[in-house]
Amino acid sequence: MGEAVELEAGGRTVRLSSPDKIFFPERGFTKLDLARYYIAVGPGILRALRDRPTTLERYPEGVTGENFFQKRAPKNMPDWIPRAHITFPSGRSADEMCPTEEAAVLWAAQYGTLTFHPWPVRRDDVDSPDELRIDLDPQPGTDFDDAVRAAFELRGVLEEFGGLRGFPKTSGGRGLHVFVPIEPRWTFTQVRRAAIAVGRELERRMPERVTTKWWKEERGEKIFVDYNQTARDRTIASAYSVRPRPHAPVSAPLRWDEVGEVHPRDFDLATMPARFAELGDVHADMDDHRYSLDALLELARRDEHDHGLGDLPYPPEYPKMPGEPKRVQPSRAKKEQPGPSGP
């Protein structure tokens, strides 16, 4: 595995053990390649993670080995990496790491972290999201090009309802994420409600291409707007995160004029450093903006008042939420319906 090496990020030195360990056999990328990648895009990923409680998706033996999500800050985490106390839907709580330096990302890479999953909050106010995150998830029979078409329609919806500006990025797979920086004055429940309103408006405009149906059996060959990614403790891979797939793709921030011109496979552990060196972080000004959700929440109110469109199901691990419809698979509910009563 080679002797340990010392790497520098942001003026701080981090020790990297087993630098020659193969993390991506298909491409031959090592643990040292992963660490150098995160140094190369350091300012960009720190912008995406700064002060955010962050879950680590770890692959200590590389992408073909066992993996796990680490929500609680590791006991051996250095004192210079801050923590934030967050509460899960179950009522349990934990301290999570909150990167404030590029070296924190490098430290996590030392322990096999491929993907960083930041909460949409900052550590000084962990109950008020400052990002509305829209996940455009291609279902079987659809692909990235379908997500692109939905993203352009989404851009118009965001502009129409509050003059919102979305920042698009590849998921690292087949989908697209669009993040909107918002004022941190709404609850997780309200932000999720805004995401549902966005999804329903997209559904109305693209009924043959977009769905908000939670149950897979109802979605069809459409792009699913995964509104539950805005629920508490549900996170989306950060910009510049490496994704655990054989070819080592990364979640790539995009300009809108690139959205229809590029493909997710264009961005990986080998190609992103050169792009970053040339263009820098194309979402660098994201934190300079803060938008209001008032127009989207008014749309949600009208959906409910005028069309009877209330809440949608939460993820299965959530306790039953106020106003939530029955959380049961439609085909199962049909089977469970009582038959005609006897004489």
Side-chain angles (χ1 to χ4, degrees):
M1 299 299 178
E3 293 184 8
V5 297
E6 290 189 340
L7 301 173
E8 187 175 314
R12 198 181 288 276
T13 300
V14 175
R15 182 178 181 273
L16 192 79
S17 63
S18 305
D20 298 333
K21 181 184 287 186
I22 299 295
F23 265 36
F24 291 90
E26 183 177 293
R27 303 288 301 277
F29 294 140
T30 64
K31 185 178 179 181
L32 181 59
D33 292 325
L34 176 72
R36 284 175 172 162
Y37 165 79
Y38 278 127
I39 292 172
V41 300
I45 193 166
L46 182 60
R47 187 268 310 157
L49 300 178
R50 189 189 300 276
D51 283 323
R52 298 190 183 281
T54 301
T55 297
L56 308 178
E57 187 175 356
R58 292 177 55 188
Y59 287 75
E61 301 304 318
V63 74
T64 58
E66 292 185 4
N67 71 291
F68 58 96
F69 287 84
Q70 181 144 13
K71 294 188 176 184
R72 297 177 184 277
K75 291 181 180 177
N76 64 338
M77 194 172 76
D79 292 340
W80 52 267
I81 300 178
R83 296 163 171 79
H85 194 71
I86 48 92
T87 303
F88 303 117
S90 65
R92 298 178 68 184
S93 62
D95 290 329
E96 286 204 353
M97 75 175 290
C98 294
T100 55
E101 303 180 35
E102 293 172 31
V105 177
L106 188 57
W107 177 86
Q110 147 66 13
Y111 292 97
T113 301
L114 297 187
T115 307
F116 295 82
H117 296 267
W119 281 48
V121 301
R122 310 282 180 166
R123 62 189 170 109
D124 60 350
D125 186 357
V126 295
D127 293 315
S128 303
D130 68 349
E131 286 179 349
L132 170 66
R133 299 173 173 180
I134 309 297
D135 181 4
L136 301 175
D137 185 10
Q139 299 304 290
T142 64
D143 57 20
F144 182 72
D145 290 338
D146 296 296
V148 165
R149 281 188 281 270
F152 281 125
E153 192 67 45
L154 169 62
R155 188 184 188 189
V157 170
L158 294 174
E159 175 61 35
E160 184 174 335
F161 290 92
L164 311 181
R165 176 184 169 189
F167 291 75
K169 70 182 185 71
T170 66
S171 67
R174 299 186 307 136
L176 271 168
H177 302 150
V178 179
F179 286 10
V180 180
I182 60 173
E183 299 164 7
R185 58 187 179 94
W186 292 278
T187 65
F188 277 94
T189 302
Q190 289 172 310
V191 174
R192 179 178 174 275
R193 190 75 173 119
I196 291 173
V198 167
R200 284 174 168 157
E201 184 64 22
L202 269 181
E203 220 171 6
R204 283 189 282 267
R205 298 183 184 199
M206 306 180 76
E208 301 304 316
R209 294 184 178 275
V210 170
T211 182
T212 58
K213 298 291 186 184
W214 175 246
W215 304 105
K216 290 183 179 180
E217 65 187 36
E218 294 188 304
R219 292 177 191 169
E221 296 184 359
K222 298 180 181 181
I223 297 298
F224 172 49
V225 181
D226 191 353
Y227 59 88
N228 269 331
Q229 293 289 46
T230 53
R232 179 186 286 272
D233 192 35
R234 294 295 282 252
T235 55
I236 293 178
S238 78
Y240 301 103
S241 272
V242 178
R243 305 314 309 275
R245 294 180 174 85
H247 61 289
V250 304
S251 180
L254 303 175
R255 302 186 305 257
W256 276 107
D257 62 3
E258 297 179 295
V259 170
E261 304 297 324
V262 298
H263 190 273
R265 290 194 74 101
D266 296 336
F267 310 105
D268 60 30
L269 193 147
T271 61
M272 181 55 84
R275 172 182 167 87
F276 194 88
E278 179 185 356
L279 301 178
D281 179 14
V282 298
H283 288 180
D285 67 331
M286 187 171 170
D287 288 339
D288 297 338
H289 304 273
R290 282 288 174 266
Y291 296 102
S292 170
L293 289 181
D294 287 343
L296 284 178
L297 291 173
E298 172 59 20
L299 175 62
R301 188 198 66 78
R302 293 203 310 268
D303 277 347
E304 185 162 16
H305 182 270
D306 299 342
H307 307 292
L309 298 174
D311 205 353
L312 289 172
Y314 272 80
E317 71 273 16
Y318 273 63
K320 180 70 175 175
M321 302 296 285
E324 181 188 3
K326 247 187 202 180
R327 198 185 303 173
V328 59
Q329 204 169 326
S331 58
R332 191 179 192 182
K334 193 173 181 181
K335 288 177 186 174
E336 291 174 356
Q337 283 178 351
S341 56

